[in-house]
Amino acid sequence: MLDEQAAEAYRKAQIAEAQALVDKITNAVEVTDTGRFSREPITRLDPWGNNVKVTFHTGEVTDNLIVTSAGPDGEIETKDDISSSRMRPSLSVATGTVSQEIKRQFR
């Protein structure tokens, strides 16, 4: 029983460590002058020795960042994945829209 409790406590500690890692990476990614997330390569290992996956989704209005640990099973896109995300408005689109509106008003 004690071994099972110790194993469960260790598993929970690894999951908490992985969540802290993906949160830290998510918050540390820099933002460029255009409002987009910097695409600098990030190489970090989760508590299970797997590379953390960093995904960017760039839309017309927002830039999205998702940082994922594959979790204990080591496979991405399964129910034990641990992730954190961040979304920002794209300043290049916003300023482009504003610039177009200003140009239209001064014609």
Side-chain angles (χ1 to χ4, degrees):
M1 181 70 169
L2 184 59
D3 287 339
E4 289 177 26
Q5 289 176 340
E8 181 64 14
Y10 182 69
R11 186 186 74 75
K12 286 181 179 180
Q14 284 183 307
I15 290 170
E17 181 182 345
Q19 186 66 61
L21 174 65
V22 296
D23 288 344
K24 182 178 179 178
I25 293 170
T26 299
N27 292 321
V29 172
E30 294 183 11
V31 177
T32 66
D33 293 341
T34 62
R36 303 269 188 215
F37 291 111
S38 172
R39 269 41 174 193
E40 293 293 320
I42 298 171
T43 306
R44 296 289 299 270
L45 298 179
D46 67 15
W48 301 277
N50 301 306
N51 286 320
V52 171
K53 180 180 178 182
V54 179
T55 308
F56 300 96
H57 298 282
T58 302
E60 289 185 29
V61 180
T62 62
D63 202 30
N64 301 293
L65 163 71
I66 303 168
V67 180
T68 306
S69 160
D73 72 0
E75 295 187 28
I76 292 287
E77 297 183 11
T78 58
K79 68 180 182 176
D80 72 340
D81 291 359
I82 300 159
S83 63
S84 182
S85 62
R86 215 167 120 200
M87 181 176 68
R88 295 199 40 88
S90 170
L91 297 179
S92 61
V93 172
T95 56
T97 303
V98 170
S99 296
Q100 290 171 5
E101 183 61 29
I102 290 170
K103 287 178 185 175
R104 195 175 15 253
Q105 288 182 11
F106 287 97
R107 283 187 186 167

